[in-house]
Amino acid sequence: MPAVNVAIAPAPHRSAPDMPASGPIADRFGRVHRDMRISLTDRCSLRCTYCMPEQGSEWLARQSILTTDEIERIARIAATHGITTFRLTGGEPLLRRDLEDVVARLARIPGAEIAMTTNAIGLDRRLPALVDAGLGRLNISIDTLDRDRFRELTRRDRLDDVLRGIRAASEAGIGPLKLNAVAMRGVNDTEIADLVQFAIDHGAQMRFIEQMPLDAGHTWSRSEMVTREEILGRLRERWAIEPVPGRGGAPAESWRLDGSERTVGVIASVTAPFCGACDRMRLTADGQIRNCLFSNSEFDLVPLLRGGSDDAAIEGMLRRAIWGKLPGHAVGDESFLQPARGMNAIGG
Ligand code: SAM
Ligand code: SF4
């Protein structure tokens, strides 16, 4: 990978204190963690080029996938120590047959908010039950509105299914509804304004994500990536844009369109990382805690879950995983090593 100069946005430096045994789950830079991304499966109904290989995926062994009881136990322990948002992801969470049960059980945890990131294939049929179960927020991925491009990009001819899912979410009034697209040169960079209009028409916020080096094929290159600046340039071709203040810990910066209430989000994970405000931890479908998308280390909860350990041991593992978090990632830096897992197996 070529050496490029990408800024890290580190957490503010503090002298390293000892790991606290109680209180909220925090790292040594003072970042308190509130958000847990839970991957329910590494399998998917699509094969997006930036995420999965066309074929030859080595799937996680079925017996290694966490059961719903195990997920609920981890979530309850995390919630007791300050985690308030659980975002279900994958792979494709809709491929999990008992998804409604997962949502219902997590939604019963006091103070928990349940969100999901999905490609929306089959969502129209399952949405009423998911909403009843307590699903609160929904992010749907859609990178292009062009059927041929969609087929090339995802290696599946399923655009109509995705559009049906988006319509169902829009009509259900689930809110806030967000649509996500990875911006890609020569693929959808000319569609940026059209995607924004599509989202507005469906009562949703469009968000554009800089492509990250998490593809299974390890083909990411910085020079091919569409940057935040380019995305903003495309938006300016159609609207006057101004930043919305008060981003907080959110990964997306919001931009107001023509002074209206309508906004677009830009997630500049590579060129303007938001590591300093990161409050996320990840639980993979096979029970590993990851403190960062780009981390090369994992903390295995399975021996504890299946070996009769008590809740305190699991809490301790969550705390240790987050205590070891680095101040920022160094994507694009010469020393950067792409994680062995593809995005589908980490949980985006
Ligand atoms: N299958 C669901 C979906 O696509 O929404 C959930 C899992 S997917 C891994 C979660 C998000 O990660 C999607 O919005 C997807 O576009 C994004 N993603 C996957 N690979 C990426 C990459 N290399 N760079 C940036 N975003 C990526
Ligand atoms: Fe599947 Fe989502 Fe990865 Fe696309 S981005 S291959 S929909 S997990």
Side-chain angles (χ1 to χ4, degrees):
M1 184 174 297
V4 289
N5 192 13
V6 175
I8 296 177
H13 181 75
R14 315 241 169 104
S15 59
D18 290 335
M19 186 182 91
S22 60
I25 300 174
D27 66 21
R28 63 186 81 209
F29 305 99
R31 291 172 292 187
V32 171
H33 283 55
R34 300 286 182 208
D35 182 312
M36 181 183 267
R37 310 272 154 129
I38 302 178
S39 174
L40 296 180
T41 175
D42 59 333
R43 295 177 188 240
C44 190
S45 40
L46 299 179
R47 293 288 181 279
C48 303
T49 51
Y50 49 72
C51 180
M52 290 182 78
E54 184 163 13
Q55 47 200 351
S57 287
E58 285 183 28
W59 306 115
L60 298 173
R62 288 214 181 267
Q63 65 274 13
S64 73
I65 303 289
L66 294 184
T67 65
T68 302
D69 282 344
E70 289 169 337
I71 293 170
E72 183 185 0
R73 181 173 176 208
I74 297 166
R76 282 193 179 276
I77 295 167
T80 307
H81 302 286
I83 301 294
T84 54
T85 302
F86 297 95
R87 175 171 294 281
L88 305 177
T89 179
E92 177 44 52
L94 286 166
L95 291 188
R96 181 125 177 170
R97 287 211 187 108
D98 66 348
L99 177 62
E100 292 77 0
D101 188 34
V102 175
V103 172
R105 295 219 222 161
L106 298 186
R108 281 198 287 269
I109 298 173
E113 187 177 16
I114 315 304
M116 180 166 79
T117 302
T118 174
N119 65 26
I121 294 176
L123 180 66
D124 48 325
R125 291 188 299 278
R126 297 177 72 178
L127 193 60
L130 288 167
V131 171
D132 274 357
L135 182 66
R137 290 191 280 140
L138 201 50
N139 289 3
I140 299 179
S141 304
I142 178 154
D143 298 317
T144 175
L145 300 168
D146 180 278
R147 185 167 171 187
D148 292 334
R149 259 183 232 160
F150 186 92
R151 195 181 49 233
E152 276 167 36
L153 172 65
T154 67
R155 302 172 177 127
R156 298 287 186 271
D157 191 9
R158 307 291 300 267
L159 178 61
D160 286 346
D161 300 276
V162 173
L163 294 177
R164 233 189 331 272
I166 292 174
R167 266 197 304 275
S170 166
E171 283 162 14
I174 196 159
L177 176 62
K178 293 178 182 167
L179 305 184
N180 291 340
V182 177
M184 286 163 284
R185 193 176 312 292
V187 179
N188 64 358
D189 51 343
T190 53
E191 265 189 277
I192 284 177
D194 291 343
L195 282 162
V196 172
Q197 190 57 53
F198 173 82
I200 290 171
D201 294 343
H202 288 80
Q205 186 200 40
M206 192 69 220
R207 308 194 311 169
F208 295 98
I209 309 171
E210 284 182 346
Q211 186 174 350
M212 298 178 279
L214 292 167
D215 56 310
H218 292 223
T219 58
W220 181 89
S221 96
R222 169 68 199 269
S223 55
E224 282 305 301
M225 199 196 84
V226 177
T227 62
R228 166 186 182 274
E229 284 310 315
E230 288 179 67
I231 296 165
L232 295 179
R234 293 280 183 187
L235 294 173
R236 285 191 189 102
E237 288 170 10
R238 200 172 295 184
W239 296 279
I241 59 171
E242 53 177 320
V244 178
R247 170 183 181 180
E253 314 162 68
S254 280
W255 294 79
R256 195 180 300 292
L257 303 176
D258 283 342
S260 71
E261 286 305 299
R262 292 164 179 168
T263 60
V264 175
V266 180
I267 303 179
S269 323
V270 178
T271 63
F274 39 89
C275 306
C278 180
D279 66 351
R280 292 168 195 89
M281 65 169 84
R282 293 186 147 78
L283 174 63
T284 67
D286 59 344
Q288 311 296 308
I289 291 287
R290 296 176 62 90
N291 58 28
C292 175
L293 265 181
F294 299 103
S295 167
N296 280 296
S297 52
E298 298 183 337
F299 294 75
D300 190 358
L301 291 176
V302 174
L304 304 182
L305 290 165
R306 299 184 183 172
S309 296
D310 62 11
D311 289 359
I314 291 171
E315 177 199 336
M317 180 79 89
L318 297 180
R319 289 190 185 281
R320 277 197 300 287
I322 298 312
W323 197 247
K325 185 159 170 158
L326 295 175
H329 69 65
V331 173
D333 196 87
E334 246 181 317
S335 61
F336 177 74
L337 270 182
Q338 184 171 337
R341 286 180 190 255
M343 185 68 141
N344 68 303
I346 295 174

